[in-house]
Structure formats: structure tokens, C-alpha cells
């Protein structure tokens, strides 16, 4: 069976960024934590974080420039990276990318 | 508070159609029913149904040609249409469209 999140709430409306090139759905957990499940179309993006974020790539192809880094990290297929709170990171998405973003306290 | 679905399960991986131009997330309800929450980028699409579907447009701009119809139905902003089981329908999406699809028995 494919991975799923149980006993959660899902916000009906999508989060839409970059004219829809990046969209996500917000999933709320009973313990008060939050994840977004998102899709990124090919393109170049810069994002800012409020909280610390773990980005889990479920499928896709992209590279990421994390804050303070000078080398891009390549992800093909599955992968993961962590972004500190209150920082910015850049993404170059080459193929449609399906991600799970976890917001940490 | 924005509309949300409570006590549901959400499948982690996205459903991806048309090279990512149409994507959705599957939401499973305790009563066994299912909805998908989706995004359609501008473009022209044809879909087929297995079960009867109610498509609720939360935001966007599109027109739909329902099976057996000769006139396109225009939706700007919010709207809704129903598609019979085992049929095909066409969509012309003009602006990024956020939808909820309910699958009926």
C-alpha cells in the first residue's frame, strides 16, 4: 500500500506560488504539526523559511542551493534536504517534482 | 477559518497527469468515500470517468464540455459541474484552477 497520512485534516484550498508553478496542500496533524504536499513544475525558484523545514522529494529532478552553501545539491528521483529557519534557498527544478515539506518547531 | 476536511487520510504521492499540468492529492474519508484536491495549469484536457464525479472549482477560469453537450459551460472563479460515470469530458483551462473532485458511488 502506498504511504499515507492518517487521522489528519486537509485544507481544501491550495497554496499557490509563482503563478501556479509551485502549489501545495496543507496537512494538519493531531499533535499540532503541519506538512505541505506540493508539486513544482520545471523552473527556478527562491523560497524563504519561517520555521526549520525538511523537504522530502518523492519524485522529480532538481538541484538546491542551501543557505550558506556555494555548491548545488543534485536530487534525481528521491532525496531530502533540511533548511534552517528564517533563511532563503534556491531551487532549479528540471522535472516535475513531488515533495513533502515538514515544518519543524 | 478556511474550509478543511477532518479525520481523513491523505495519500503522500501526487497523482500526475499531462506531464504535471494536472496534479492532485487523494483524500480518503472514514466512510470509504474519496475526493481528490487538484490543480490544473492552463491547457486543454480530456478526462474519462469511472464513477460519477462532482467537480467543485474553488478558483480559476475554465470552460467544460460535458458528455452529450454541444455548448461549453464557462466557469470564472467558483463553480461546479457533474460528470456521469463512464464518460469523457473536455476542459479548456485559462487560469490556474484549484478543484475538489468527489467520486460518487
Amino acid at each position: 500500500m502506498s504511504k499515507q497520512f492518517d487521522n489528519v485534516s486537509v485544507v481544501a484550498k491550495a497554496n499557490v506560488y509563482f503563478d501556479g508553478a509551485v502549489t501545495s496542500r496543507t496537512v494538519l496533524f493531531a499533535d499540532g504539526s503541519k506538512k505541505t504536499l506540493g508539486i513544482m513544475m520545471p523552473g527556478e525558484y527562491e523560497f524563504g523559511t519561517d520555521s526549520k523545514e525538511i523537504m522530502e522529494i518523492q519524485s522529480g529532478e532538481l538541484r538546491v542551493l542551501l543557505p550558506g552553501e556555494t555548491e548545488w545539491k543534485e536530487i534525481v528521483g528521491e532525496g531530502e534536504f533540511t533548511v534552517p529557519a528564517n533563511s532563503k534557498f534556491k531551487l532549479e527544478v528540471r522535472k516535475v517534482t513531488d515533495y513533502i515539506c515538514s515544518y519543524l518547531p
Side-chain angles (χ1 to χ4, degrees), chain A:
Chain A
M1 201 179 76
S2 56
K3 176 178 169 184
Q4 65 181 49
F5 302 110
D6 296 320
N7 302 315
V8 296
S9 294
V10 181
V11 176
K13 285 209 174 182
N15 311 304
V16 177
Y17 310 99
F18 301 104
D19 290 327
V22 178
T23 57
S24 71
R25 302 283 170 180
T26 301
V27 180
L28 305 168
F29 291 76
D31 66 2
S33 66
K34 184 178 89 164
K35 295 184 195 293
T36 53
L37 306 183
I39 292 285
M40 296 186 288
M41 301 295 283
E44 300 184 10
Y45 313 107
E46 185 174 59
F47 290 99
T49 63
D50 292 319
S51 66
K52 182 177 173 184
E53 297 181 5
I54 298 178
M55 282 283 283
E56 180 189 344
I57 307 302
Q58 303 191 95
S59 66
E61 190 177 320
L62 71 161
R63 58 180 202 160
V64 57
L65 186 64
L66 291 168
E69 299 289 327
T70 52
E71 284 205 15
W72 292 77
K73 174 188 167 79
E74 303 277 338
I75 297 176
V76 177
E78 300 180 357
E80 190 177 296
F81 57 89
T82 300
V83 190
N86 304 307
S87 62
K88 288 177 191 276
F89 63 107
K90 291 184 181 179
L91 293 174
E92 289 182 9
V93 176
R94 291 198 206 100
K95 291 187 181 169
V96 178
T97 292
D98 183 7
Y99 70 86
I100 300 171
C101 182
S102 300
Y103 299 84
L104 302 189

